[in-house]
Amino acid sequence: MAKKRRKSKPTTTKKRTSFQLSKKNQVILGSLLIVISIALFFSFISYYFTWQEDQSLLTEFGDRNAEASNLLNKFGAAVSHFFMYQGFGLASFVFPVLLAITGLYLFLGLDGKQLWGKWIWGMVSVIWVSTTLGFLAMEQPLLGGLIGYELNDFLRDYVGAIGIFLILLFALIVILVRLFNFSPEAIGNYFREKKSTLSKEFQTATTSNKGIEPDMDTEVILQPEPEVKIDTYTHKKDIPPLQNEAGLDVNLPEEEPAIDLEVSKVAEEKEEKDIKAEELVRDFGEFDPRLELGSYRFPTLDLLDQHGVTGGITINQEELEENKNRIVNTLKNYKIGIAQIKATIGPTVTLYEIVPEAGIRISKIKNLEDDIALSLAALGIRIIAPIPGKGTIGIEVPNKNATIVSMRSVIASKKFQNAEMQLPIAFGKTISNETFVVDLAKMPHLLMAGATGQGKSVGLNAVITSLLYKKHPAEIKFVLVDPKKVELTLFNKIERHYLAKLPDSEEAIITDNTKVINTLNSLCIEMDHRYELLKLALVRNIKEYNTKFKARKLNPNDGHKFLPYIILVVDEFADLIMTAGKEVETPIARLAQLARAIGIHLIIATQRPSVNVITGIIKANFPARIAFRVTSKIDSRTILDAQGADQLIGRGDMLYTQGNDVTRIQCAFVDTPEVAKITEYIGSQRAYPSAHELPEYVGEDSGTGLDYDIADRDKMFREAAEVIVIAQQGSASLIQRKLKLGYNRAGRIIDQLEAAGIVGPFEGSKARQVLVPDIFALEQLLQNETK
């Protein structure tokens, strides 16, 4: 009896643990897994193109109004971020494959015993690929994911880079042997087969060249050729024909006299308009847009002050030696030896380049940032590990006595004066005391951010001043937006020289948010018009267009004209986003995406670099960014996608990036009296009759107050009325959410709805009463109005 009981125990456990799906459930579950695998596959592919735009939405998953750029919206963005960034990187593509195979097994009702092996080896492959990518590209977590990065970081602590390589090689051999039956004999057989195939092909090619096609059963005998006796004759005509063994006459070709080849040059055919253009250029010269203000004189260097020390940077040898000793001693305390150290002195920061001894991990030095700052008793220590393009580690230490970089010294530098750029901008000087000059036309847009009082407004003045010293009023126009109303007012004096505005605007510098929206939409109209001109001129960008126009190949009677560059400068972008929202963000995003080729460039500054201000769309279209000092690492990552801006020392100390390396620069200082002298100098000269006029923009809003004229209603009036009637709730916030409008515009639409009798009057904090019961009644009301 005991034996029977012992035998019965395993049978009862098998019955309890066995789990069998019905045929229908297998088909349903298999279909679900296949659909999930397809969704993951497209999400992963889309993630590599949209991850920057969707970065700001990862924390807003519960917001129904937020939309991601991923093909599967917020689900795709979140899942892809989990697998690709926080998981295994490119190796995550194995998961959709495994899910699809499992789904097919279930859907087709196949035996699923082999699935366990596929999943086990699939996971092994995922880990191997992720670790390998992390080993090959340590600085790019998107390739191997955080797991691959952390595995490499962990293994480096114990076996080093060579050990990781050997482990990966051994794992690859195991995978090849187990999955693909890899063996030395198989490799030898493969090469032997290849060798025999190549020899056969070579033998066949040789025999075919001799004209012999032997069969396998035919023996080929090669006989020596008979000697041919050749007699010498005096005339070539007397040479008798040679005879071969078959009795065929073989005549040697007679040499013919050489024939002279006459080469005639084909004349280039020119169109009639090109011929006329050349005649005009020959008679009148190329078109010069500067002639209208031919007497214009550029600002002189005397208008700028020489701040700070005129003789350059003073070297404090004691400070250098003291800082060097403190850095060396601090690293020695943590058992980090230094083979070499070198100092590069800048205006505000000194860069100490150190070469650590062999075997020292870079991350170990990077983690000592706070300890080095404590030993040096300095604010703003920044460690660059390693310095791009060099085999050294950089430690940036602020100087005790900073040198002011004057705008005069930067403008007077040969690098700026000889810069062959379309829109040269001199920002200041680098750590190596070199003048830093970049081309705004190649950026093509610039995003500036930093806390209050850290140098943003001075940076904007430096940008505008650089362009004023280099470009003629006919070549460049500024659209200045100043919500603060005090920062850019000095440039009012150059309105008729350099500024652009709407036709009916009194002041060129825009301070009202409503006019900002109209101006941005007007710039979009200007952009579309310019693209039409480029299309008609058969050119690709503004530089080619203006070159063609100067050569008089474009007829002004056809609407062609010289196109100046337009620079949009926004001093406080966060304020515009708070008050106008999508109405500002949409045209700015459109300009940022498309306006580069036609010479419209954007410079946007903000003191609040949060993700709701600098959104994914803005970041994706502003590769060139400047970060002044900010208060937190999160703000630094929002601007630069990297740390460092929180460790700056302020007063014009900034970081500049254009999508690759980060450069530390001391921004050139230009004081308000200097800007006033420059604008007075320009404003006192002969100017154009008025400021450059932008295209007229008829706003989509209907004006102010209650509007009884149907023709003047907002274009979104009907959609807003339907939203209000369906929800039976008369509030401006509902229209804002549903139609994605700004607060001001939504409020005007509510006033129009009241005038049309769709909602009741304002009742304080309560929502307005909806006077129309349903959509049918709304249709009747709107139809009666049009009769």
Side-chain angles (χ1 to χ4, degrees):
M1 293 293 289
K3 287 181 181 179
K4 287 182 180 179
R5 284 177 185 172
R6 283 174 189 171
K7 288 180 180 178
S8 62
K9 282 180 182 177
T11 57
T12 55
T13 54
K14 280 184 182 179
K15 286 180 181 178
R16 287 175 185 171
T17 56
S18 63
F19 177 73
Q20 186 70 30
L21 286 173
S22 65
K23 181 65 177 176
K24 292 181 180 179
N25 290 336
Q26 282 186 4
V27 172
I28 293 171
L29 183 57
S31 304
L32 177 63
L33 292 178
I34 292 172
V35 169
I36 292 174
S37 68
I38 294 171
L40 288 177
F41 180 78
F42 283 107
S43 299
F44 292 171
I45 289 178
S46 178
Y47 179 74
Y48 275 90
F49 298 97
T50 61
W51 69 272
Q52 286 184 321
E53 300 173 25
D54 296 340
Q55 188 178 10
S56 59
L57 296 173
L58 296 175
T59 57
E60 302 175 6
F61 191 83
D63 184 6
R64 293 183 62 183
N65 292 325
E67 290 185 5
S69 298
N70 193 285
L71 288 175
L72 273 80
N73 212 324
K74 289 182 288 187
F75 168 79
V79 171
S80 302
H81 181 76
F82 175 76
F83 276 95
M84 289 290 188
Y85 184 78
Q86 297 180 336
F88 300 93
L90 284 175
S92 301
F93 277 98
V94 175
F95 291 110
V97 176
L98 292 174
L99 286 173
I101 293 172
T102 307
L104 285 172
Y105 268 71
L106 292 171
F107 187 86
L108 300 175
L110 302 176
D111 185 13
K113 292 181 180 179
Q114 297 180 354
L115 279 176
W116 288 108
K118 293 184 184 301
W119 273 93
I120 290 170
W121 285 108
M123 291 304 299
V124 170
S125 302
V126 166
I127 295 171
W128 185 84
V129 172
S130 176
T131 310
T132 303
L133 291 173
F135 175 73
L136 297 174
M138 281 287 288
E139 300 300 325
Q140 298 183 6
L142 278 180
L143 294 179
L146 284 179
I147 291 178
Y149 178 85
E150 293 295 338
L151 279 173
N152 273 277
D153 195 50
F154 174 78
L155 291 172
R156 279 176 191 271
D157 291 341
Y158 292 95
V159 296
I162 297 176
I164 296 175
F165 174 78
L166 295 175
I167 292 171
L168 292 173
L169 181 62
F170 173 73
L172 177 62
I173 293 171
V174 172
I175 292 171
L176 293 175
V177 170
R178 299 289 298 184
L179 293 183
F180 304 101
N181 296 323
F182 171 87
S183 65
E185 293 83 7
I187 295 178
N189 293 334
Y190 174 80
F191 282 108
R192 277 193 291 271
E193 289 176 5
K194 281 289 181 186
K195 184 179 178 182
S196 61
T197 304
L198 289 172
S199 62
K200 287 180 182 178
E201 291 176 356
F202 179 78
Q203 186 177 358
T204 304
T206 307
T207 53
S208 62
N209 288 336
K210 292 184 178 180
I212 302 171
E213 296 180 4
D215 293 327
M216 294 298 294
D217 301 330
T218 305
E219 185 178 358
V220 180
I221 301 173
L222 299 176
Q223 294 181 350
E225 296 180 0
E227 292 183 5
V228 180
K229 187 178 180 181
I230 302 176
D231 295 330
T232 305
Y233 295 88
T234 56
H235 298 288
K236 291 178 181 176
K237 292 180 182 177
D238 300 328
I239 297 176
L242 296 176
Q243 290 187 339
N244 59 9
E245 292 177 345
L248 298 176
D249 292 339
V250 181
N251 294 319
L252 294 175
E254 294 183 4
E255 291 186 7
E256 297 182 0
I259 301 172
D260 293 333
L261 179 65
E262 294 183 4
V263 181
S264 59
K265 189 175 181 181
V266 180
E268 184 183 356
E269 292 186 8
K270 295 183 180 179
E271 295 184 11
E272 186 179 352
K273 61 180 182 181
D274 291 336
I275 297 171
K276 288 183 179 179
E278 289 180 359
E279 291 175 356
L280 288 171
V281 170
R282 187 170 59 250
D283 296 339
F284 303 102
E286 285 194 346
F287 173 78
D288 188 359
R290 301 185 177 193
L291 286 179
E292 193 172 353
L293 291 183
S295 60
Y296 176 80
R297 300 186 309 278
F298 283 91
T300 59
L301 285 174
D302 300 335
L303 302 172
L304 295 170
D305 298 334
Q306 184 67 59
H307 299 281
V309 182
T310 57
I313 297 173
T314 55
I315 299 174
N316 189 336
Q317 199 64 39
E318 293 181 4
E319 182 183 345
L320 287 176
E321 195 67 27
E322 185 181 350
N323 287 340
K324 184 203 79 171
N325 294 333
R326 287 181 176 178
I327 291 172
V328 172
N329 293 332
T330 303
L331 295 177
K332 274 186 180 178
N333 293 336
Y334 293 92
K335 298 179 181 178
I336 298 174
I338 296 176
Q340 184 182 352
I341 186 166
K342 183 178 74 172
T344 305
I345 305 168
T348 56
V349 175
T350 299
L351 173 65
Y352 294 88
E353 293 183 55
I354 63 173
V355 179
E357 292 180 350
I360 302 296
R361 290 181 63 242
I362 292 176
S363 59
K364 196 171 182 182
I365 300 176
K366 181 72 175 172
N367 294 333
L368 296 176
E369 202 163 38
D370 295 335
D371 300 280
I372 295 172
L374 179 65
S375 68
L376 294 172
L379 175 70
I381 299 292
R382 182 169 166 261
I383 294 181
I384 312 166
I387 297 176
K390 296 183 179 181
T392 58
I393 296 170
I395 301 176
E396 294 176 349
V397 182
N399 300 334
K400 290 181 179 178
N401 298 316
T403 303
I404 298 175
V405 176
S406 66
M407 196 71 202
R408 177 169 179 164
S409 64
V410 172
I411 295 292
S413 66
K414 290 183 179 179
K415 193 169 185 180
F416 179 75
Q417 293 293 333
N418 300 331
E420 294 182 359
M421 300 176 180
Q422 297 174 54
L423 297 172
I425 295 175
F427 280 122
K429 293 191 176 181
T430 62
I431 289 177
S432 56
N433 204 33
E434 293 180 6
T435 304
F436 190 80
V437 183
V438 289
D439 191 357
L440 178 60
K442 292 183 179 178
M443 288 186 188
H445 310 292
L446 177 63
L447 178 65
M448 301 174 67
T452 304
Q454 303 303 321
K456 282 192 314 302
S457 297
V458 175
L460 284 177
N461 287 338
V463 170
I464 297 173
T465 303
S466 300
L467 295 172
L468 292 179
Y469 267 88
K470 203 71 175 176
K471 306 303 288 186
H472 191 272
E475 298 171 327
I476 188 171
K477 301 295 177 185
F478 293 96
V479 178
L480 302 180
V481 178
D482 184 14
K484 295 181 185 176
K485 304 180 181 180
V486 293
E487 295 292 347
L488 302 175
T489 51
L490 288 172
F491 296 100
N492 263 325
K493 298 172 185 176
I494 60 172
E495 175 181 335
R496 292 190 296 142
H497 290 86
Y498 281 101
L499 301 191
K501 65 177 183 178
L502 292 173
D504 54 349
S505 294
E506 294 180 3
E507 294 184 357
I509 297 177
I510 306 158
T511 56
D512 184 13
N513 289 341
T514 306
K515 291 183 179 178
V516 174
I517 297 167
N518 293 342
T519 304
L520 293 175
N521 286 290
S522 174
L523 284 172
C524 290
I525 296 171
E526 174 73 12
M527 176 182 71
D528 295 334
H529 175 63
R530 288 190 172 198
Y531 267 117
E532 192 65 29
L533 291 177
L534 263 62
K535 175 185 170 185
L536 295 174
L538 302 176
V539 294
R540 297 175 58 190
N541 54 53
I542 187 174
K543 187 177 180 182
E544 295 176 6
Y545 178 88
N546 284 337
T547 303
K548 206 168 184 179
F549 187 83
K550 287 179 180 179
R552 302 186 185 273
K553 294 182 179 180
L554 300 175
N555 192 346
N557 295 327
D558 296 335
H560 291 292
K561 58 183 179 181
F562 182 82
L563 300 179
Y565 286 94
I566 297 178
I567 314 296
L568 171 65
V569 181
V570 181
D571 188 29
E572 186 45 67
F573 186 61
D575 184 64
L576 296 181
I577 291 293
M578 288 175 61
T579 54
K582 287 280 182 183
E583 291 180 275
V584 166
E585 186 179 350
T586 302
I588 278 189
R590 190 159 177 258
L591 289 169
Q593 289 167 352
L594 300 173
R596 172 183 183 176
I598 44 84
I600 298 178
H601 301 280
L602 280 59
I603 300 173
I604 289 178
T606 181
Q607 65 181 7
R608 200 183 66 190
S610 55
V611 291
N612 61 332
V613 175
I614 304 174
T615 60
I617 296 174
I618 297 294
K619 288 179 70 175
N621 294 294
F622 283 77
R625 300 172 199 163
I626 286 177
F628 292 91
R629 190 186 177 198
V630 294
T631 54
S632 68
K633 292 181 179 180
I634 297 173
D635 290 345
S636 177
R637 287 197 189 99
T638 305
I639 309 165
L640 302 172
D641 293 327
Q643 296 182 18
D646 55 311
Q647 297 166 325
L648 300 175
I649 58 175
R651 297 176 60 84
D653 189 15
M654 71 183 203
L655 296 176
Y656 170 83
T657 179
Q658 201 168 347
N660 39 28
D661 299 336
V662 178
T663 307
R664 191 166 184 174
I665 304 165
Q666 177 60 39
C667 183
F669 178 67
V670 52
D671 205 358
T672 305
E674 297 175 72
V675 177
K677 284 190 285 186
I678 293 170
T679 54
E680 283 176 8
Y681 180 85
I682 296 172
S684 63
Q685 301 183 50
R686 189 172 72 86
Y688 295 106
S690 63
H692 181 79
E693 286 193 354
L694 298 172
E696 187 176 359
Y697 172 72
V698 180
E700 295 180 352
D701 53 271
S702 61
T704 57
L706 298 181
D707 218 330
Y708 295 96
D709 192 350
I710 297 174
D712 292 337
R713 281 179 180 166
D714 194 286
K715 290 184 178 180
M716 303 292 286
F717 175 82
R718 189 181 187 89
E719 290 90 337
E722 291 175 358
V723 168
I724 292 294
V725 171
I726 291 171
Q728 287 293 303
Q729 179 185 348
S731 67
S733 59
L734 178 65
I735 296 175
Q736 276 185 277
R737 292 196 308 273
K738 294 293 184 182
L739 302 181
K740 296 181 180 178
L741 302 177
Y743 178 78
N744 296 333
R745 188 175 174 189
R748 286 191 288 271
I749 293 176
I750 282 288
D751 291 338
Q752 293 171 8
L753 292 171
E754 180 187 350
I758 297 172
V759 297
F762 179 69
E763 298 180 8
S765 59
K766 285 193 201 176
R768 294 174 184 248
Q769 183 183 359
V770 182
L771 305 177
V772 179
D774 52 33
I775 291 292
F776 179 75
L778 177 64
E779 290 289 339
Q780 292 288 341
L781 176 64
L782 296 178
Q783 285 178 8
N784 292 334
E785 284 183 343
T786 56
K787 288 180 181 178

